Amino acid sequence: GINAEYGEYIASLRIKNTATMEDDYSTPRQQQQLTEAELLDKRFLGRVIRPSDDQFEKEAIRSVNAQIRHVHEKPRLIIQARGVADVIECVKYAKEKGLSVSARSSSNSLHWTTDGLLIDLSLMRGVRVNPQKRTVRVEGGAIQKDVDRATAIHRLAVPAGILPRVGFAGTAFGGGIGWLSRSFGLTADHLVSVDLVTANGELLICDEKNHSDLFWALRGAGHNFGIITSFKLRAHPIDTVYVGMMAFPLERYKEVSKEYVALFSNPDTPRQLSVYLAFSTSLEARMKNILVLVCYNGPEKDGARYVKAFRDLKPIVTRLASMPFHVWQSSNEHMESPGCHVHQKASIVDSLPETLFETIYKSFTDVPSPHSLVIIEPFGGAMLDTPLEATAVAWRNHKFAVTTMSIWEKEADSSTNINWLNKTLELMTPFKVSVTYINYLVDSPLNEKLASPHELYGDFLPKLLKLKKEYDPNNLFFKELS
């Protein structure tokens, strides 16, 4: 299937080149007769989308987050790049015309330029696996399920996020945490090399030997220094995983949280086990729940033993089974909320006292939307195998992420739901540390900026600022998360 798609792509390029061959070898006089729009179209293999084009409105606001679609202004021009050459030309064109620049890899991208050039990488979704070397080459526009599908054929996996339609580059270069992070480490820890187009329109190959300072920065602060066109990662062999969920009425949060704290306070809890707690609302039963979400990277008999304490509490729903990892990943698509408005932020904590659970419980009883969530996610395990200073991931050595997600359907309800989020985050202040996770930060112009640069990058900020001045001195890549 991959070879067939590649063949079709090459054929399409041949057709295009053949169709425009006369123009490609036209004289300077003939070139001068072309309009500026025609010259621009000839400059790129990909598509140039202007405000006058029928598809502009759709592409300009393409986001799974309705909050972004409603409040975001539109770019002046969109170019859907076909490859590295297009991205380089995009940067050069933007500099020629004095346009601001931003890049979008998927429909989960949240911030783009409102008065300039939007470089869309969504046509660059190639994933190439080397099963012998256990490496994966990923293009900048690939999404999570592209990588999951390609690696699953070879019984491999790269630890990354849990949502299938999220852009993989954004996950990797913000850190990257998910079901397999305790087993294998962060996505950023698996990066081998990165192809990056800089603010000068130069292609750099970054790894441990070449531009090693920039390679360090890209692993955790990769939103800041250029446009990532492709990257190579290490992968791990993986078989079936023991996964699923157990649901309890919200009122039983004390029993459930007690077992959760005991589980991750036990030094014998294996790194192969990842368990999330989720405060949620069952749309079918119309009742608030606390969910225990399980992923054990190993045999069912072992996984079942480690979560027995939760089963002994007699949940109202139990769905646990062994399955291939990529099947479990794809089943998480229901956790995404396309078409809804989404704001969220993670409070990183080092402990889970009873007062923290009580705070979440009280706030969640007043949650205005049945789609909103509060999720507790464990760190540790293989995440700690990489030293803190080895990458720009400032939150690595902490213990848990408590992510408050405000999700609602109607634009008219925005104020109420944003207020609930902000109030909950304020209540979390006594428990959290000074840094947060950039990939769990979703904001919009309707809300105040949720995080400062120091909160995103911690003690690494001075070093990152120095590198920013070196590689992007004029701050071409300046958007909200920069």
Side-chain angles (χ1 to χ4, degrees), residues 5 36 80 87 112 140 148 162 179 220 278 289 297 363 365 367 395 482:
E5 290 177 11
E36 183 177 349
Q80 293 184 323
V87 176
W112 53 80
D148 290 338
I162 67 173
W179 299 119
N289 299 317
N297 179 22
S363 177
T365 56
V367 66
W395 44 269
S482 174

Side-chain angles (χ1 to χ4, degrees), residues 96-149:
E96 292 168 11
K97 300 297 182 180
L99 299 175
S100 58
V101 173
S102 58
R104 177 176 68 190
S105 63
S106 76
S107 295
N108 282 84
S109 296
L110 299 170
H111 303 280
W112 53 80
T113 180
T114 58
D115 187 29
L117 174 60
L118 171 59
I119 304 172
D120 188 335
L121 304 182
S122 60
L123 300 181
M124 299 171 58
R125 288 177 59 174
V127 180
R128 188 174 74 248
V129 180
N130 185 326
Q132 287 75 36
K133 294 186 177 181
R134 294 177 182 170
T135 59
V136 186
R137 168 69 64 176
V138 181
E139 285 193 305
I143 61 176
Q144 178 73 54
K145 68 179 179 182
D146 296 333
V147 179
D148 290 338
R149 285 174 176 174

Side-chain angles (χ1 to χ4, degrees), residues 240-312:
T240 57
V241 289
Y242 180 66
V243 295
M245 58 82 73
M246 291 167 276
F248 299 84
L250 184 63
E251 292 72 21
R252 297 185 63 191
Y253 78 94
K254 288 186 177 181
E255 301 168 75
V256 176
S257 61
K258 181 180 179 181
E259 294 298 341
Y260 189 80
V261 171
L263 178 67
F264 287 105
S265 299
N266 186 345
D268 294 329
T269 296
R271 59 175 55 191
Q272 292 87 350
L273 180 65
S274 189
V275 178
Y276 294 10
L277 288 188
F279 291 75
S280 71
T281 304
S282 170
L283 298 179
E284 296 85 1
R286 296 186 178 277
M287 63 178 291
K288 293 181 173 66
N289 299 317
I290 182 167
L291 306 180
V292 179
L293 305 171
V294 176
C295 181
Y296 178 72
N297 179 22
E300 179 174 342
K301 61 180 178 62
D302 295 333
R305 185 172 75 253
Y306 290 121
V307 298
K308 182 178 181 297
F310 295 109
R311 299 197 71 163
D312 289 345

